[in-house]
Amino acid sequence: MKTRILQINNCHYRRGGADAVYLNTIKLLRDNGEEVIEFSQKSSNNEQSDYEPYFVREFDPLKFNTLKKMFFSPRQLFSFETANKLKKLIHQEKPDIAHIHLYKGVLTASILKILKKEKIPTCITLHDYSLLCPRNILFDSHNKICERCVKGNSFNCVIHKCNRNKLLYSIINYIEYNINNKLFKPENVFNKIIAVSKFNYVKHQQKKNLKGKFVHLYNFSPGCEDLNSNPTKGDYFLYFGRLSNEKGLSTLIESLNRQDENINLKIVGTGDIKQDLEALVNKEGLNNIEFLGYKSGEELKFLIANCSYVIVPSEWYENNPMTIVEAYALGKPVIGSKIGGIPELIEDEVTGFTFEMGNVDDLSEKIREAEKISQQEYNKMSGNARKFALNNFSEKVHYRNLMNIYKSMLAE
């Protein structure tokens, strides 16, 4: 008998990496004959779902101004609509287990109350650091890594106005964190907690109340086994992802400013600092940097497959970046900063290069070093990246390990 699996996420479309993992997981399970039930919010951007009648009304706090944020703050913390609709879905579809991805701020902790009440074995994938940090990302208002709440009191989030340097936003984060971690205690809700990087797994070991619940499972690349990797060294470096402060893009652009003009960089993505980055490039007269905007699907695959290296210059605790997963699947080496879950994926001069986070000189040197290697050396590095992907990011490996996690939950 197949397992009936309830997949839960704030969005039922690809807004970010976590949403992609949620949708990829649904397809993977269905492709292997499992029965999947979906629960999310309604949106004109949503992918098709037979369960949309149970979805909650669209709610996006990121689009709110301060006044609207204040008015709707109770809804951001707890949703009675979500609780009622999830309860109806469970009674109608009778899932065996539930797998949560993102829920804070939209679906809210109301799902935890219902899952516990209905005695549904539940796991959550840690796409961020929400069990450790009120802001979820261990990053403060000055765009610096911050562990004050991990090592001290969560009220530090309010004191230091960690969310965009705004007191109201930070207060909401503080209340939300305590509702999720003190009122609805994770140890009483989650049977298993999936860390998608070894770094995240180790970082959470200090949560003594959750001892024994953590498991490690990397994200996967859909169709990884069937992709045709390209071992040819391209004529440009590539960054793709969100354009935001924690991604280290200013460091990347400055490093290109120190290179010969024949070293080209393409930047793919959108975000709140896009205009600032474009202004910086224009100010420095960097004609070797091109902004391509948002790309997805085959168009993005083409850009990855034909680059020389993908660059991941992040300056925060990256978890298990899908950029590296997707690059390796296409046989592309990666240049990444030594922070978070990045260095565990990159072996220097084997699958790419690592550099000291935020160090323009070190990144500049690694780009020059990467550019100089021969096509023969590049072929070997490309093959190593592809091999790492097949061993760690394939659908077959992920499905087997994920089902083992589900089975252990049911056995408990």
Side-chain angles (χ1 to χ4, degrees):
M1 184 179 293
K2 295 296 181 181
T3 309
R4 293 178 62 79
I5 305 156
L6 173 59
Q7 291 283 330
I8 299 174
N9 190 55
N10 279 341
C11 293
H12 197 65
Y13 63 94
R14 296 171 191 269
R15 184 167 68 173
D19 309 314
V21 173
Y22 157 76
L23 291 167
N24 291 342
T25 302
I26 289 171
K27 185 176 185 304
L28 175 67
L29 292 170
R30 285 184 175 146
D31 287 347
N32 283 277
E34 306 298 341
E35 296 183 41
V36 181
I37 304 156
E38 300 144 353
F39 186 68
S40 186
Q41 67 172 325
K42 294 180 180 179
S43 171
S44 58
N45 298 315
N46 275 358
E47 296 192 6
Q48 190 277 332
S49 172
D50 293 337
Y51 301 96
E52 186 145 4
Y54 295 99
F55 287 10
V56 300
R57 286 173 293 178
E58 187 170 18
F59 182 78
D60 191 352
L62 294 176
K63 296 179 181 178
F64 293 170
N65 57 30
T66 302
L67 185 61
K68 203 171 183 180
K69 191 96 170 176
M70 186 180 298
F71 182 79
F72 282 104
S73 57
R75 166 61 181 83
Q76 190 176 342
L77 299 171
F78 192 92
S79 169
F80 290 98
E81 179 195 5
T82 297
N84 291 332
K85 291 211 166 183
L86 180 58
K87 185 176 181 180
K88 288 178 181 178
L89 177 63
I90 290 172
H91 287 179
Q92 178 65 35
E93 300 298 332
K94 296 179 173 52
D96 297 308
I97 59 174
H99 184 167
I100 302 171
H101 295 267
L102 298 181
Y103 70 95
K104 291 177 68 176
V106 177
L107 297 176
T108 76
S110 55
I111 66 169
L112 306 183
K113 177 183 178 181
I114 297 301
L115 291 170
K116 182 182 177 183
K117 184 177 180 180
E118 299 296 328
K119 299 180 181 179
I120 306 293
T122 300
C123 67
I124 184 169
T125 293
L126 293 179
H127 296 286
D128 52 28
Y129 300 92
S130 59
L131 293 178
L132 299 174
C133 169
R135 197 187 166 192
N136 303 334
I137 60 173
L138 295 174
F139 218 57
D140 67 14
S141 60
H142 303 292
N143 301 316
K144 300 294 182 183
I145 291 169
C146 170
E147 295 192 23
R148 294 186 186 97
C149 293
V150 180
K151 299 173 181 177
N153 192 291
S154 59
F155 196 70
N156 277 298
C157 177
V158 178
I159 295 171
H160 298 279
K161 295 187 286 189
C162 288
N163 192 341
R164 299 177 231 178
N165 204 30
K166 292 184 181 293
L167 182 61
L168 174 62
Y169 292 1
S170 301
I171 289 173
I172 292 172
N173 280 160
Y174 169 75
I175 297 172
E176 182 180 48
Y177 177 82
N178 283 282
I179 287 174
N180 282 275
N181 292 279
K182 302 291 177 62
L183 183 60
F184 298 103
K185 296 181 178 181
E187 63 267 29
N188 296 333
V189 178
F190 304 132
N191 297 76
K192 294 294 179 185
I193 301 173
I194 302 172
V196 297
S197 70
K198 294 175 183 175
F199 175 85
N200 194 312
Y201 180 93
V202 171
K203 181 64 72 175
H204 279 86
Q205 293 308 302
Q206 55 198 300
K207 299 287 287 187
K208 304 300 183 184
N209 58 320
L210 298 173
K211 188 176 181 181
K213 292 184 180 290
F214 290 99
V215 292
H216 169 245
L217 178 63
Y218 283 131
N219 292 324
F220 71 100
S221 177
C224 179
E225 295 94 331
D226 301 322
L227 290 175
N228 294 318
S229 61
N230 183 7
T232 302
K233 187 180 179 185
D235 60 0
Y236 60 90
F237 292 79
L238 178 68
Y239 170 89
F240 66 98
R242 189 169 67 253
L243 307 187
S244 53
N245 284 311
E246 73 274 9
K247 294 297 185 177
L249 288 155
S250 297
T251 299
L252 175 57
I253 289 172
E254 180 58 33
S255 72
L256 263 289
N257 196 17
R258 303 186 184 186
Q259 308 293 336
D260 296 331
E261 288 191 1
N262 63 341
I263 294 183
N264 299 305
L265 170 68
K266 295 182 187 292
I267 296 177
V268 172
T270 59
D272 53 9
I273 65 167
K274 184 174 185 289
Q275 291 182 337
D276 294 337
L277 296 174
E278 289 175 331
L280 176 61
V281 167
N282 290 333
K283 178 184 176 183
E284 299 294 338
L286 298 174
N287 298 321
N288 55 338
I289 298 180
E290 183 180 6
F291 291 87
L292 301 181
Y294 177 78
K295 303 291 180 184
S296 62
E298 293 303 317
E299 194 173 11
L300 178 58
K301 282 183 183 178
F302 179 86
L303 287 166
I304 299 170
N306 290 282
C307 74
S308 55
Y309 298 84
V310 168
I311 302 183
V312 185
S314 292
E315 296 177 4
W316 77 292
Y317 288 146
E318 285 281 6
N319 203 352
N320 179 217
M322 287 302 294
T323 48
I324 299 180
V325 175
E326 292 170 21
Y328 279 8
L330 289 164
K332 290 296 158 179
V334 175
I335 301 173
S337 51
K338 296 176 185 176
I339 188 169
I342 296 174
E344 71 189 66
L345 302 178
I346 303 173
E347 186 175 355
D348 274 307
E349 300 184 29
V350 177
T351 60
F353 300 90
T354 59
F355 67 96
E356 183 183 351
M357 179 206 76
N359 189 322
V360 174
D361 292 333
D362 196 16
L363 176 54
S364 299
E365 179 58 35
K366 291 301 164 62
I367 289 174
R368 284 191 287 269
E369 187 178 344
E371 181 68 10
K372 288 177 182 177
I373 71 171
S374 67
Q375 181 60 55
Q376 183 178 3
E377 292 173 307
Y378 184 86
N379 286 349
K380 186 175 180 180
M381 193 174 287
S382 171
N384 290 335
R386 172 71 175 160
K387 183 179 179 181
F388 189 99
L390 290 174
N391 289 339
N392 294 279
F393 308 143
S394 74
E395 290 186 337
K396 182 178 180 180
V397 169
H398 192 88
Y399 173 71
R400 181 191 67 218
N401 292 335
L402 183 59
M403 289 307 297
N404 285 338
I405 292 171
Y406 291 165
K407 288 173 184 175
S408 70
M409 291 163 56
L410 290 171
E412 290 176 2

